[in-house]
Amino acid sequence: MSPIAAAETGTARTLTLVLFVLLVAATLAITVGASRQNRGRADFYAGGRSFSALQNGLAIGGDYMSAASFLGIAGLIALYGYDGFLYSIGFLVAWLVALLLVAELIRNTGRYTMADVLAYRMRQRPVRTAGSISTIVVSVFYLLAQMVGAGSLVALLLGIKADGTFLGMSAETAKIVTIVLIGVLMIVYVTVGGMKGTTYVQIVKAVMLLAGAVVLAVMVGAAYKYNLSGLLGDAAAKSGKGDAYLSPGLRYGRDLATGAQTLVSKLDLISLGLALVLGTAGLPHILIRFYTVPNARAARHSVLWAIGIIGGFYLMTLALGFGAAALVGNSAIAAQDPGGNVAAPLLAKALGQRYLGGDLGGAVLLSVIAAVAFATILAVVAGLTLASSSSLSHDLYANVVRRGQASETQELRVARVAAFGIGAVAIVLAVYARSLNVAFLVALAFAIAASANLPAILLSLFWRRFNTRGAVFGIYGGLLAAVGIVLLSPVCWGGSSTYRAPAKLSAAQAADCGVPVAATSVSNPTALFSCTAPAPIPLENPGLLSIPVGFLCAVIGSLTSAERDEEKYKRLQVRAMSGAGAH
Amino acid sequence: MDPSTQLTQVTGPASTAAPDGAEPDSAAAYRATAGSVEFAALRRALLRFVFPVTVAFLAWYALYVLLSAYARGLMATKVVGNLNVALVFGLLQFASTFLIAWAYARYADRRIDPLARAVRDRMTGGGTGS
C-alpha cells in the first residue's frame, strides 16, 4: 500500500476511533444523568410517561432504524438497484398499521409491556407467559442479529482487514472485543438509565442519523445538480446491469431458469413484503415506546412524527444508494464487503474528498458516518434489551410467579438483573455466532411479530369472541410456525433443488461447503446446517405461511373454548377507545 | 380457585395485578358507559375510518408488491427520463402513506378526540342512566 493510502487509512481510522469514544462517553453521561430522575417502575419501564410527542417520535425512529436500515438498505440499493427501495417501502407502510390500529389503543389499555394488553380481558398467567416468551424470543433474535452484525460492521468501519492487526489485536479478537463492548454498554444503558436513558440515547442517534443522511443526500444532489434522472442513469450505467438495475427483480423475485424456481422466488418476495408490513406493529420494543407519553393523543402524534422521520429517511437512502453506485461503483463496494454495508461510508469518503477537501475531507466525513452507524447500533440494542428485561420482570416475575404480590423495589431489582442476564446471554451467543450469517434473524423476528403478536393484539382489541385459549394458541402457534418453517427453510438447508437455483460459488464458499467451485448442488452457501441438503420448505421467509397459521390458531383456539366474557370485552373497548381509566 | 381469580371476577381484571393503584373506575361505571350513546358514537366514528382505510392501504401495498413480482415489463416502462413506473409507483406508496397519516390525524382531531372526551367525562361524571 502506498504511504499516502496508508496514512489516509490511519487518519480515518484514528478519527473514527476518537468519535466512537466520544459517542460512548456522551451516551454514558446522558444515561447517568437520566438515572437521577428514576424513582420507580413508571420511570424504569415507561420513562415516567413524560416524553413529548416529538421526542418520542425521534426515539421511535431511533429504535426502529437499525444499522440494517442505514447501511444495509443503502448497500442493497447500491448493489441491486430498485429492490433495495422495495424493502424500505415495506418498512414505512407498516407504520400505518401501528398508527391506525395499535398505538393509541395500546397506550390506553396497557401499562408497561405488550402482555399487559394481551392479558387485559384474559386469564392473566397463561397469557402473560405466552406474551412474555414471545417478547423475549423476538427481542433476543433481533438483538443477536444486531450484535453479530455490529462485530463485522465495526471491523469494516475501522478498516480492519482480515489479516491485519488493530491496537495489537487480530481482526478476530477485535470483532469479539467489539461485541463484548457493545453488550456491556447496552447493559449499562438499561440497568442504569432504564427507559429514560434508553430514550435519550435513541433521540441522539435519530438526530445524528437524520443529520448525516441529509448532509450526504444534499451533497449527492449537488453532484448531480438535483437531477434525479441523471443520477439514476449514471448509477444504472455504472452498475453494469443497465436498465434492469432500475426495475424490480435483481435480488428479490428473480426470474430463474425453471418455472418452479421462479415461482418460489416470487413467493419469497411476497412473503417478505407481508412480514415487513405486518411485523412492525407487533414488535415489542416498538410497542413499549407508546407507553412513554402522557396519553393516547400524544402516542398518536409520536407515530405521526415517526412516520415523517422514517419516511424522510428512507427517501434519502434512495439518494445514498444510487449515489454510492454512481460515485463509488459497485465493484469497489462489493470488493470490500459483498453484503454492501460499506456503500454509505464509501460514499461519505468520496463526497468528503470532493466537497470538503482532498483526502482529509474524505477521512473526516467517513469517520462521521461511521460514528453515526455505531450510534445506530447502540440505540437499537438498548431498546431491545429493555423490552425483553421489562417483560421478564413485569410479566413473568411480578405477575406470573409472584401473582402481583411483588413490591416495586423487588420488581425493579429483577428488571435490572434480567437486563444483565439477557445482555450476558446475548454477548455469549453473539460471540459464538460471529461468523455465521445471522441477518435472517431480523426477518424471522418480524415474521414472529406478525404471526404470533399481531393476531393476538388485534383479535383481543376487536373480536368479541376472543378468549384465553385463543390468545395462547395464537401466540405459541404463530411462534412455532415461524421458527419451525425457518428451521426447515433454505436458511438452514442450502442445497439446490427443483425450487432453489444453484448459486455461483466463490472459492472461499466452495471450500467452506466442501464442494468443488463448479458444483451445482449448493443454493445457499451460508446455510446453517448443510450446504448441500435441500430444504423441505423452499421459502426463505416464513411470513406467507406462518402469519395465516398464527391467525388460524388464534381463531380456532377461541372457538374451541367456551370462555366468553362480554363484560370484560366491553370494558376493554371503552378503555382502549376513550382512554377512560388509562394509566 | 385462588383469591386473585375471585377478585378478578368481582371487579374485572386489573391490567396488572400489582397492589398499587387498584382500578379507579368500578365495573358499574364501565357497564353504564359501554351502553351509553357517547360510547356508541365513538366506536362508530373510529371503526368507520380505521377498518376501511386499513383494507385500502393494504390492498394498495399488495398491488405494488404483486406488480413488482409479476409485471416486470410494466414496471420497467420509462415515464420521464430515467424514472420508470416502478420508481413512480414506489414514490406514490410514500405519498399515500403520508397522506393517510395526515388524513387520520385530522379526522381523529376533529371527530374522535371530542367523542373520546365525552366518554371519559361520562365515566368520571357518573353516568345518569345509559
Side-chain angles (χ1 to χ4, degrees):
Chain A
M1 195 193 292
S2 80
I4 297 173
E8 170 210 57
T9 319
T11 319
R13 186 185 281 190
T14 315
L15 274 172
T16 305
L17 203 57
V18 165
L19 285 179
F20 281 10
V21 170
L22 283 176
L23 191 64
V24 169
T27 50
L28 285 175
I30 291 172
T31 303
V32 170
S35 74
R36 299 225 189 89
Q37 305 161 36
N38 282 349
R39 305 265 173 270
R41 283 192 311 170
D43 293 311
F44 185 87
Y45 290 140
R49 306 195 199 282
S50 60
F51 286 100
S52 73
L54 172 56
Q55 287 174 321
N56 197 24
L58 282 167
I60 288 173
D63 208 359
Y64 189 65
M65 294 183 291
S66 62
S69 285
F70 179 34
L71 303 180
I73 289 186
L76 204 60
I77 293 177
L79 292 181
Y80 296 104
Y82 188 82
D83 280 3
F85 189 42
L86 222 151
Y87 214 88
S88 55
I89 288 171
F91 277 138
L92 177 66
V93 173
W95 278 97
L96 287 181
V97 178
L99 177 68
L100 297 183
L101 295 176
V102 169
E104 295 166 68
L105 302 175
I106 292 244
R107 173 62 186 86
N108 280 333
T109 309
R111 199 166 183 181
Y112 300 130
T113 63
M114 176 185 81
D116 276 341
V117 176
L118 295 176
Y120 188 85
R121 58 175 171 123
M122 314 292 176
R123 284 195 351 260
Q124 295 287 305
R125 296 171 75 218
V127 178
R128 278 196 189 268
T129 308
S132 186
I133 288 177
S134 179
T135 296
I136 294 173
V137 169
V138 169
S139 304
V140 169
F141 279 176
Y142 210 124
L143 189 55
L144 268 182
Q146 295 295 302
M147 289 177 75
V148 170
S152 329
L153 214 60
V154 170
L156 209 64
L157 295 172
L158 287 173
I160 303 173
K161 301 277 186 289
D163 50 349
T165 61
F166 179 73
L167 297 182
M169 297 181 281
S170 73
E172 267 307 283
T173 319
K175 230 192 235 187
I176 296 174
V177 166
T178 305
I179 292 175
V180 172
L181 177 67
I182 289 175
V184 167
L185 282 173
M186 78 195 185
I187 291 175
V188 170
Y189 293 146
V190 173
T191 51
V192 172
M195 175 61 94
K196 279 219 163 104
T198 307
T199 303
Y200 287 127
V201 171
Q202 287 166 350
I203 291 174
V204 165
K205 164 267 181 84
V207 171
M208 284 176 67
L209 188 62
L210 284 173
V214 165
V215 164
L216 290 184
V218 164
M219 285 191 189
V220 169
Y224 281 91
K225 314 230 182 319
Y226 298 96
N227 179 348
L228 179 60
S229 191
L231 168 63
L232 294 176
D234 216 18
K238 294 252 178 69
S239 73
K241 301 186 178 78
D243 278 345
Y245 182 74
L246 297 176
S247 291
L250 276 185
R251 171 75 180 80
Y252 297 117
R254 289 175 296 159
D255 291 305
L256 298 165
T258 71
Q261 288 168 355
T262 305
L263 176 66
V264 166
S265 185
K266 313 254 183 204
L267 287 180
D268 251 331
L269 168 60
I270 294 169
S271 193
L272 178 67
L274 205 60
L276 288 181
V277 90
L278 296 179
T280 297
L283 290 173
H285 68 290
I286 297 296
L287 295 175
I288 63 173
R289 285 242 54 93
F290 301 143
Y291 291 133
T292 63
V293 288
N295 52 45
R297 198 175 133 90
R300 177 198 318 149
H301 290 163
S302 326
V303 177
L304 292 170
W305 275 113
I307 287 177
I309 289 166
I310 292 170
F313 177 74
Y314 283 133
L315 279 176
M316 288 191 284
T317 58
L318 263 188
L320 300 186
F322 286 130
L327 295 171
V328 176
N330 283 3
S331 39
I333 296 171
Q336 269 208 38
D337 171 34
N341 285 320
V342 76
L346 285 182
L347 174 67
K349 186 163 111 176
L351 289 171
Q353 282 169 341
R354 190 157 160 169
Y355 290 109
L356 295 183
D359 286 339
L360 182 61
V364 165
L365 205 54
L366 168 64
S367 313
V368 167
I369 293 304
V372 169
F374 189 58
T376 287
I377 295 169
L378 294 178
V380 175
V381 297
L384 292 166
T385 307
L386 179 67
S388 39
S389 56
S390 55
S391 179
L392 215 154
S393 64
H394 183 67
D395 296 320
L396 283 182
Y397 172 71
N399 278 288
V400 176
V401 172
R402 295 294 303 271
R403 298 168 189 259
Q405 303 307 312
S407 75
E408 234 183 80
T409 330
Q410 289 172 322
E411 192 175 327
L412 281 179
R413 190 178 311 136
V414 171
R416 294 197 164 96
V417 169
F420 181 83
I422 288 174
V425 168
I427 292 174
V428 168
L429 288 178
V431 167
Y432 179 71
R434 68 186 178 281
S435 310
L436 298 176
N437 182 3
V438 293
F440 76 92
L441 282 177
V442 173
L444 177 56
F446 270 84
I448 297 175
S451 318
N453 297 347
L454 190 68
I457 293 170
L458 292 181
L459 293 175
S460 200
L461 291 171
F462 297 114
W463 191 34
R464 190 181 305 262
R465 187 68 177 84
F466 198 55
N467 54 31
T468 304
R469 185 184 291 183
V472 169
F473 273 32
I475 294 172
Y476 289 131
L479 177 59
L480 291 172
V483 173
I485 291 173
V486 163
L487 287 176
L488 296 172
S489 75
V491 167
C492 293
W493 305 95
S496 55
S497 69
T498 331
Y499 300 106
R500 307 293 305 187
K504 217 162 39 168
L505 300 171
S506 72
Q509 289 170 333
D512 275 342
C513 288
V515 296
V517 176
T520 56
S521 53
V522 177
S523 173
N524 178 13
T526 60
L528 291 180
F529 298 160
S530 160
C531 287
T532 48
I537 300 180
L539 270 186
E540 231 170 52
N541 187 301
L544 193 61
L545 297 174
S546 62
I547 295 170
V549 166
F551 271 103
L552 222 72
C553 287
V555 169
I556 290 174
S558 301
L559 295 177
T560 57
S561 162
E563 182 190 333
R564 216 192 265 260
D565 198 325
E566 189 77 22
E567 175 141 342
K568 285 189 200 171
Y569 176 61
K570 288 210 172 101
R571 185 188 177 117
L572 169 64
Q573 287 222 319
V574 167
R575 175 151 158 171
M577 294 185 182
S578 73
H583 285 277
Chain B
M1 197 188 304
D2 68 48
S4 67
T5 335
Q6 277 179 312
L7 196 66
T8 303
Q9 290 187 337
V10 169
T11 62
S15 66
T16 70
D20 62 303
E23 290 296 298
D25 307 282
S26 72
Y30 271 111
R31 211 177 299 126
T33 310
S36 70
V37 168
E38 289 90 338
F39 176 66
L42 171 63
R43 192 166 180 277
R44 199 169 40 237
L46 182 66
L47 298 184
R48 279 234 177 108
F49 184 98
V50 154
F51 282 166
V53 171
T54 299
V55 170
F57 83 72
L58 284 179
W60 174 233
Y61 174 73
L63 181 68
Y64 170 72
V65 172
L66 289 172
L67 287 183
S68 297
Y70 286 107
R72 295 278 159 79
L74 169 66
M75 293 297 247
T77 319
K78 296 221 196 238
V79 172
V80 54
N82 276 311
L83 278 88
N84 53 21
V85 171
L87 211 74
V88 169
F89 205 152
L91 291 173
L92 281 178
Q93 289 283 323
F94 271 78
S96 61
T97 301
F98 292 144
L99 193 70
I100 291 172
W102 174 81
Y104 175 69
R106 255 177 50 130
Y107 182 80
D109 211 43
R110 294 187 177 178
R111 298 267 290 128
I112 296 182
D113 285 346
L115 290 172
R117 198 168 309 123
V119 173
R120 288 196 300 273
D121 289 342
R122 186 180 240 295
M123 269 277 284
T124 53
T128 47
S130 72

